[in-house]
Amino acid sequence: MGNLLKVLTRDIENYPHFFLDFENAQPTEGEREVWNQVNSVLQDSENILTGLQAYKGAGQEIRDAIQNPSDFTLQERAWNSVCPLVIKLKKFYSFSLRLEEALQNLLECLTCAPFTPTQHLEREQALAKQFAEILHFTLRFDELKMRIPAIQNDFSYYRRTISRNRINNMNLDIEREVNNEMANRMSLFYAEATPMLKTLSNATTNFVTENKTLPLENTTDCLSTMASVCKVMLETPEYSSRFSSEDTLLFCMRVMVGVIILYDHVHPNGAFNKSSKIDMKGCIKVLKDQPADNVEGLLNALKFTTKHLNDESTPKNIRTMLQ
């Protein structure tokens, strides 16, 4: 399968070893239908990130309007500045729903009988790559979102203003685009520090809950195996030196962190427990060995978006590593 990377999981005697190619994997005929569905979502991901990166906010216009409540021109200017931004925020939110569906389609393929999750990852490299790309996008989106406080400020102003204008019976064309129910859902989404990751965590938890005949281990083993694969690719120069781009290193780091967080939300005992199939100490060490600028956001994601880090069962040395 081209330039494949031979990746060994944590315990060579107990775990199989296999190739996982994040750079060149192409879909087989068996993967093609789901791959096409997920690809139609992923094709839009760069545009979403570009749109988020370019988000400037309407802070000045909002401040002017608040400070001069009787100046109709300033009220109108603020409203006209905020409305296009709300349309943009709706586009990001709508994409999260498409991403959620894509993730669940991939989980269904990568966990179903008769194959084990490891065999699925071996056999369905292109779908595993797409799963990784969803996680990569998710952490990039959330890293950007955390640096843009204007998003919540703009949306709060929009909610307050639309309520006031509704009382005044003003004609609100934007409500055709963003009705009250949509605004409520968007408000919950953007209130999260890491909204895309929260969406994927919920999607994974719902997938497990809804597929009662599927053993939980099928899902958690898929996630833990992918975490192990990423860790070994990052910590072994023999493998990491074969990447054609340095961006693949950051890709692997984000994917590793993403699957750890999903595992921590889905597994009853979480990712940090001694019984966890993820070598958390090794994963954190791999991150800490990278340039600080590359991993600060990822370490923060492990600290603040996991579920079980502060459980009593989490070893003290793991907690200390993340302080």
Side-chain angles (χ1 to χ4, degrees):
M1 291 182 64
N3 180 29
L4 293 174
L5 303 173
K6 187 176 185 181
V7 173
L8 310 177
T9 53
R10 168 167 56 151
D11 187 341
I12 189 71
E13 292 176 3
N14 297 330
Y15 287 85
H17 57 276
F18 62 95
F19 295 104
L20 186 51
D21 185 1
F22 281 150
E23 291 188 327
N24 304 302
Q26 296 298 318
T28 60
E29 272 313 301
E31 296 170 276
R32 178 72 61 185
E33 184 180 348
V34 172
W35 188 91
N36 284 340
Q37 290 169 5
V38 175
N39 190 52
S40 69
V41 178
L42 284 170
Q43 279 179 331
D44 295 333
S45 63
E46 283 302 320
N47 284 339
I48 295 291
L49 289 173
T50 302
L52 182 60
Q53 210 156 12
Y55 192 98
K56 297 300 180 198
Q60 188 59 53
E61 292 88 345
I62 291 170
R63 280 191 296 276
D64 290 344
I66 290 171
Q67 287 165 8
N68 301 277
S70 57
D71 188 325
F72 180 76
T73 303
L74 291 177
Q75 305 306 310
E76 194 171 39
R77 184 182 299 161
W79 181 246
N80 290 338
S81 298
V82 163
C83 285
L85 296 173
V86 169
I87 301 298
K88 188 179 276 194
L89 292 176
K90 181 194 174 187
K91 181 182 173 187
F92 301 157
Y93 169 70
S94 299
F95 186 76
S96 78
L97 303 180
R98 295 173 62 205
L99 206 65
E100 181 178 6
E101 186 180 355
L103 182 86
Q104 291 185 323
N105 287 343
L106 288 173
L107 279 173
E108 198 170 330
C109 292
L110 294 172
T111 59
C112 64
F115 302 112
T116 66
T118 300
Q119 288 170 329
H120 275 299
L121 291 173
E122 266 190 289
R123 294 165 55 90
E124 288 141 18
Q125 297 259 326
L127 298 185
K129 180 173 181 272
Q130 285 185 320
F131 189 92
E133 285 170 341
I134 286 176
L135 290 166
H136 183 238
F137 162 82
T138 295
L139 271 83
R140 287 170 73 199
F141 182 96
D142 287 346
E143 282 169 14
L144 283 172
K145 187 264 179 185
M146 281 194 278
R147 297 191 209 122
I148 311 175
I151 287 176
Q152 277 177 277
N153 295 337
D154 293 346
F155 201 67
S156 295
Y157 177 80
Y158 169 77
R159 298 296 304 274
R160 290 196 307 272
T161 306
I162 205 163
S163 297
R164 189 168 64 243
N165 290 349
R166 200 181 288 120
I167 291 166
N168 297 334
N169 292 319
M170 286 179 64
N171 181 25
L172 300 169
D173 292 338
I174 192 168
E175 284 207 280
R176 284 199 289 271
E177 286 273 357
V178 182
N179 62 27
N180 198 45
E181 185 188 348
M182 172 62 77
N184 287 337
R185 293 205 304 264
M186 287 169 62
S187 191
L188 290 171
F189 178 77
Y190 287 111
E192 295 288 343
T194 52
M196 284 290 177
L197 205 48
K198 178 70 173 174
T199 297
L200 294 199
S201 294
N202 289 345
T204 308
T205 303
N206 291 342
F207 172 80
V208 170
T209 307
E210 289 163 12
N211 290 275
K212 297 190 190 313
T213 57
L214 187 74
L216 172 66
E217 292 72 27
N218 285 31
T219 303
T220 54
D221 284 358
C222 173
L223 299 173
S224 61
T225 303
M226 196 170 269
S228 297
V229 167
C230 291
K231 179 180 81 76
V232 174
M233 285 203 272
L234 288 163
E235 71 187 359
T236 312
E238 181 190 342
Y239 305 140
S240 57
S241 64
R242 297 186 203 175
F243 295 144
S244 62
S245 164
E246 278 195 25
D247 288 344
T248 310
L249 285 172
L250 190 51
F251 179 92
C252 282
M253 286 188 268
R254 286 201 178 103
V255 173
M256 181 178 75
V257 168
V259 288
I260 288 170
I261 293 166
L262 293 187
Y263 182 101
D264 192 59
H265 279 261
V266 173
H267 197 287
N269 299 325
F272 300 95
N273 191 286
K274 282 182 180 175
S275 64
S276 167
K277 289 189 177 179
I278 297 177
D279 173 15
M280 285 305 306
K281 186 178 177 182
C283 289
I284 295 167
K285 184 181 181 303
V286 162
L287 292 175
K288 292 206 156 189
D289 286 344
Q290 308 299 323
D293 288 350
N294 287 352
V295 296
E296 184 184 1
L298 298 177
L299 290 168
N300 283 338
L302 287 178
K303 277 190 240 181
F304 302 122
T305 64
T306 46
K307 188 176 178 183
H308 294 279
L309 174 61
N310 295 315
D311 288 3
E312 285 184 17
S313 59
T314 299
K316 283 184 180 176
N317 65 326
I318 299 293
R319 275 204 290 262
T320 303
M321 288 179 82
L322 283 173
Q323 280 173 359

